[in-house]
Amino acid sequence: ASPSSSSSSAFGLSDPDIWHQRGTVLHRLKDFKAGAKDFERFVAVEADHAIGWNYVGLCRSQLGDLR
């Protein structure tokens, strides 16, 4: 199969660590909305990951979302 027809899971994009790393980069780039979404996806799989939840809160607080 050509690279364009490969599924995203073939590239490891279903791995929760990808969402954590991408969320970290987005947070550093101050893209808090996208970062929060990636961290939320990460903690949906890794619910006991305190640092992941911390980043969810950090991103949301930067957006004024303190729920």
Side-chain angles (χ1 to χ4, degrees):
S2 69
S4 62
S5 67
S6 297
S7 70
S8 61
S9 62
F11 296 103
L13 297 179
S14 63
D15 184 346
D17 291 333
I18 297 286
W19 301 111
H20 183 274
Q21 293 300 320
R22 195 170 94 157
T24 301
V25 170
L26 290 166
H27 179 266
R28 289 183 182 167
L29 293 173
K30 299 183 189 227
D31 187 350
F32 302 116
K33 185 174 182 179
K37 286 182 182 183
D38 280 356
F39 283 116
E40 289 165 1
R41 190 167 181 178
F42 172 72
V43 298
V45 177
E46 299 286 337
D48 293 334
H49 198 282
I51 294 172
W53 282 109
N54 185 56
Y55 272 107
V56 169
L58 288 171
C59 289
R60 285 182 180 172
S61 71
Q62 290 294 322
L63 296 168
D65 181 2
L66 302 177
R67 60 184 154 121

